[in-house]
Amino acid sequence: MKNIFYSALLFMALTVQSQDTIMPLWPDGKIPNQLKTDEKEIHKNEGILIISKVQKPTIEVYLPSQRNATGEAMLIFPGGGYAVLAYDWEGRDIAKFLNSKGIAGIVVKYRLPSDATQTDKQNVPLIDAQRAMRLVRSKAEAWNIKKDKIGIIGFSAGGHLASTLGTHFDEKVYAIVDEADNESARPDFMALGYPVITFGLNTHGGSKKNLIGENPSEAMVEHFSNEKHVSSNTPPTFLIHAADDGAVPVENSLLFFQALRDNGVFATMHIYPKGGHGFSLARNDNHLRGWTERLFEWIESLR
């Protein structure tokens, strides 16, 4: 009987611990720009976990063992054209890989722009991204993370969101809801994988349409073309892209890198001759998969 009792306690402890790895971004009833509807979140797994119609944004926290931890963390923004999230391919898998290097990986399940469920939909992903950064900073001590070593990584449209956070981190897009919102939303460093950057020439049409609509104003296009908003305060940036990317032209990364150089921002860019779009960790490509080691070398250079 005693063994059963202790087994039950252990099970409860493990259950609580596992539940603690996923946290809502917002307190109940305080999600900004959210309309009350009957729309439900959709999860489909066809080799990759695809999430759409996100209703309750979360962060999913993966921490390395304390002995391996460097104190660094990265928030991860999966791509999907602002229509879906490639949640494990460009999210959970990245977090686990970061853990292997002692870095905390925090997957952000951010809301996707929707006229049906949101007001000012173009601001909603940035609202969630700013909140995620502030929430993680507020939990840094509890998670053995250094407040000044919290970076971001985003892929494709998630790279657009990451670069939006990196260039619009001080833009006021929502009202303070609790003490966490007193933290800075500025990332300490930024990595962008085959990112959508511009909404001008060479953009990704689907990401642009989903975020700012079919016929956006010139001011809206300008506002979300992130190469135009780089400043000397933009975080140090690491870029990867394949020259043969047929979905998001390599010019997106080239534009951003040039803007970083023009503003004196510490930056590194790796352009691979082939790889296409959406290669994630690229584990099946002996050459391309080296980008992960280049990322860790670059992060070490920031220490």
Side-chain angles (χ1 to χ4, degrees), residues 112-270:
L112 300 157
S114 166
D115 290 316
T117 62
Q118 299 157 9
T119 60
D120 295 325
K121 69 174 183 179
Q122 73 278 359
N123 290 326
V124 166
L126 177 59
I127 287 171
D128 286 351
Q130 285 189 0
R131 172 66 179 183
M133 178 58 72
R134 290 174 172 136
L135 186 59
V136 170
R137 277 216 165 91
S138 74
K139 302 290 184 183
E141 185 175 352
W143 293 342
N144 196 33
I145 293 169
K146 297 174 184 176
K147 274 193 176 185
D148 61 349
K149 298 292 183 183
I150 303 175
I152 58 176
I153 184 169
F155 299 88
S156 193
H160 184 266
L161 178 53
S163 66
T164 304
L165 180 59
T167 54
H168 297 259
F169 53 83
D170 57 356
E171 184 176 325
K172 188 172 176 57
V173 286
Y174 70 93
I176 290 175
V177 299
D178 58 24
E179 288 186 6
D181 286 326
N182 293 318
E183 298 284 352
S184 171
R186 181 185 181 275
D188 294 302
F189 54 96
M190 176 163 62
L192 306 174
Y194 38 90
V196 179
I197 294 292
T198 187
F199 278 174
L201 191 66
N202 291 311
T203 190
H204 178 250
S207 297
K208 177 181 177 180
K209 177 183 173 182
N210 288 331
L211 186 65
I212 61 176
E214 190 106 41
N215 298 297
S217 66
E218 287 186 17
M220 189 78 78
V221 171
E222 173 94 7
H223 187 72
F224 286 102
S225 292
N226 292 325
E227 78 279 9
K228 298 179 182 294
H229 301 281
V230 174
S231 73
S232 59
N233 201 29
T234 300
T237 302
F238 174 95
L239 291 140
I240 54 163
H241 219 121
D244 66 348
D245 191 327
V248 178
V250 70
E251 282 77 9
N252 282 265
S253 285
L254 297 174
L255 280 169
F256 202 66
F257 183 74
Q258 186 62 56
L260 293 164
R261 282 195 66 200
D262 290 346
N263 284 274
V265 178
F266 185 78
T268 292
M269 179 171 61
H270 295 275

